[in-house]
Amino acid sequence: LPPASQDIMQSLRAQYGLMGKKITLTVARLVERKGIDSCIEAVGRLYGQLPNMHYIIVGDGPDRSRLQSLIKRTPAPATLVGAASLAELSAWYSISDVFILTPKNNQTDVEGYGTVYREAAQFAKPIVASPVGGVPEAAGPDALYAETAPEISAALLRLLTDTKLAESIGQKCREHASTIT
């Protein structure tokens, strides 16, 4: 991805009311097996503890309306922003504090390599992932692995409240991504 533009980063923060917020980011095709519903539930569980957190979901797909309904029914401070240009993707990764994507195991629709984990690592973001398909290879051994909403909440709480831990994991994820050919 290209380097992030300061103008685009400022524009996105202003457009979505993200000034001073801790941003958790997912970039994915919106399909049920991606586990975004569990992430929304996890973010909703943290609302009282981290009122300055906001979950941004970048992407589109057939699960969009179900996820939008779920967001409306939970206290999750979350926004589905739709598809993004490469320049916008770089900006989203840059302004985020944590990248999260926890796909579910599915026999008929298998999770592939997971390029988005490498993209997040390019920007030294700590990663919360699930050990499905090619994800562990892409996310690396230093990502935090979680599958259920309570596990995801615990991982997010650790990363969003411990800046040194988040920076360390982000750097390790970046180093891992740079070794993959």
Side-chain angles (χ1 to χ4, degrees):
L1 290 173
S5 157
Q6 289 294 328
D7 289 342
I8 295 174
M9 289 189 297
Q10 287 179 320
S11 173
L12 292 174
R13 283 183 197 268
Q15 180 179 353
Y16 293 99
L18 300 173
M19 300 298 181
K21 301 282 185 181
K22 293 275 190 178
I23 300 169
T24 302
L25 175 69
T26 292
V27 176
R29 185 165 177 267
L30 304 184
V31 295
E32 191 171 341
R33 75 168 172 79
K34 292 291 184 176
I36 299 168
D37 53 353
S38 296
C39 296
I40 292 168
E41 181 184 341
V43 168
R45 288 169 170 261
L46 293 174
Y47 180 66
Q49 296 171 64
L50 297 170
N52 68 332
M53 178 182 56
H54 199 94
Y55 180 34
I56 295 291
I57 305 158
V58 177
D60 214 345
D63 207 26
R64 182 180 179 91
S65 62
R66 184 180 73 89
L67 294 173
Q68 192 66 55
S69 294
L70 182 59
I71 289 169
K72 287 178 183 173
R73 291 192 317 266
T74 67
T79 304
L80 281 164
V81 300
S85 69
L86 291 179
E88 289 169 332
L89 275 179
S90 292
W92 281 121
Y93 283 120
S94 290
I95 66 173
S96 69
D97 295 286
V98 175
F99 180 79
I100 182 169
L101 183 59
T102 56
K104 299 173 182 176
N105 208 359
N106 184 313
Q107 300 294 335
T108 58
D109 188 8
V110 178
E111 184 65 27
Y113 176 68
T115 303
V116 293
Y117 298 106
R118 287 187 70 185
E119 292 174 353
Q122 174 186 341
F123 292 89
K125 299 304 169 181
I127 295 169
V128 178
S130 60
V132 174
V135 171
E137 180 186 342
D142 295 297
L144 297 185
Y145 289 91
E147 295 183 76
T148 65
E151 292 170 346
I152 296 165
S153 291
L156 288 174
L157 186 61
R158 282 183 64 200
L159 293 171
L160 293 171
T161 58
D162 187 339
T163 305
K164 287 189 188 312
L165 175 66
E167 287 174 1
S168 174
I169 290 175
Q171 276 305 114
K172 289 175 182 174
C173 289
R174 175 186 268 171
E175 290 165 12
H176 171 77
S178 70
T179 64
I180 300 171
T181 55

